[in-house]
Every structure is written in structure tokens, then in C-alpha cells.
């Protein structure tokens, strides 16, 4: 399984990567720090999941990107915003599969990933 974690803060990327590898050791995890990197990388690898920070550089491209990417992969929106923030709500309406708050405990991260993975066989 191929997963791309996109966040401008390396600490969040590393934490998510550790959680993923702890529970899915076979996963190949890629990292990006800007939305521009995501747009470039998404054509190089067939991703099973994209975890996208809502506030990274280039995030003005996020809504349009999500609208296209949902046709090909699962998407989790990753943010320090509340899930009732209008931008988060809009991304879920567009078709993002889940919302994951940045301050989530490990159990919440894992359960969110399991939920998204259960939606489609990988």
C-alpha cells in the first residue's frame, strides 16, 4: 500500500508515518511539504491514500485537487481546525473520505485509517 502524507511540518509527517508503520509495516509512505509537491508526486506513484494538511503552502489548490483525486484514491483531510470549520466541511462534501484532527491520539489515528481502508480493498 502506498500512502502520501503532506504537511509542511515534519513532526506531523513523522508521527503519522510511525503510526502507519507500526500497524501496517508493509506500507510505503511518501512525504510532501507543499501542495505543489503533492500535485507533482501524485502522477509518479499510484497512491492508496493521501493524507493532506489543509493549511500547507499551496493549499489554495486543495479543493480542486481533492475534487479530481477522489476519483483515483482515498483522502484524509488533516488539520488543526475543527471538523465544523467551513473549509473542512466543504472538503468532506467534495468527497474527502475522512477528517483527522492534528491533535488526535494514536488510537484515533489508527481507527480513522482503518475506517478509510475498510471502505476499499487495498
Amino acid at each position: 500500500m502506498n500512502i502520501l502524507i503532506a504537511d509542511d511540518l515534519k513532526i506531523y509527517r513523522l508521527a503519522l508515518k510511525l503510526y502507519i508503520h507500526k500497524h501496517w509495516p508493509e506500507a510505503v509512505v511518501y512525504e510532501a511539504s507543499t501542495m505543489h509537491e503533492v500535485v507533482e508526486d501524485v502522477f509518479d506513484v499510484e497512491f492508496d491514500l493521501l493524507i493532506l494538511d489543509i493549511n500547507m503552502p499551496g493549499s489554495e489548490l486543495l479543493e480542486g485537487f481533492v475534487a479530481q483525486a477522489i476519483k483515483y484514491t482515498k483522502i484524509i483531510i488533516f488539520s488543526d481546525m475543527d471538523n465544523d470549520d467551513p473549509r473542512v466541511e466543504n472538503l468532506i462534501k467534495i468527497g474527502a473520505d475522512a477528517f483527522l484532527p492534528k491533535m488526535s491520539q494514536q488510537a484515533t489515528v489508527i481507527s480513522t485509517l482503518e475506517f478509510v481502508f475498510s471502505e476499499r480493498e487495498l
Side-chain angles (χ1 to χ4, degrees):
M1 117 181 43
N2 293 318
I3 300 170
L4 175 66
I5 301 169
D7 193 297
D8 56 323
L9 298 174
K10 188 169 185 75
I11 189 73
Y12 287 118
R13 295 193 314 265
L14 290 175
L16 285 172
K17 193 173 186 177
L18 285 171
Y19 293 160
I20 290 166
H21 280 145
K22 183 176 180 180
H23 293 277
W24 295 277
E26 75 286 354
V28 178
V29 180
Y30 299 81
E31 297 180 41
S33 60
T34 70
M35 196 61 211
H36 299 286
E37 289 177 19
V38 172
V39 171
E40 289 175 12
D41 292 347
V42 81
F43 297 110
D44 295 336
V45 177
E46 186 174 322
F47 289 104
D48 300 293
L49 174 64
L50 304 175
I51 302 173
L52 305 173
D53 176 20
I54 201 168
N55 284 323
M56 67 183 144
S59 64
E60 67 277 358
L61 305 172
L62 192 58
E63 283 84 357
F65 177 81
V66 168
Q68 294 302 311
I70 59 169
K71 300 172 188 174
Y72 309 102
T73 191
K74 295 291 187 178
I75 298 174
I76 294 175
I77 301 304
F78 189 54
S79 176
D80 54 2
M81 297 177 178
D82 293 329
N83 63 344
D84 60 352
D85 182 278
R87 190 153 181 226
V88 172
E89 288 179 349
N90 186 49
L91 287 162
I92 296 298
K93 284 180 190 174
I94 288 171
D97 297 281
F99 168 72
L100 182 62
K102 283 191 175 182
M103 300 311 290
S104 296
Q105 298 293 322
Q106 180 177 352
T108 301
V109 173
I110 298 307
S111 66
T112 301
L113 292 168
E114 287 175 339
F115 166 75
V116 170
F117 290 154
S118 72
E119 295 292 304
R120 182 181 90 201
E121 188 176 312
L122 299 175

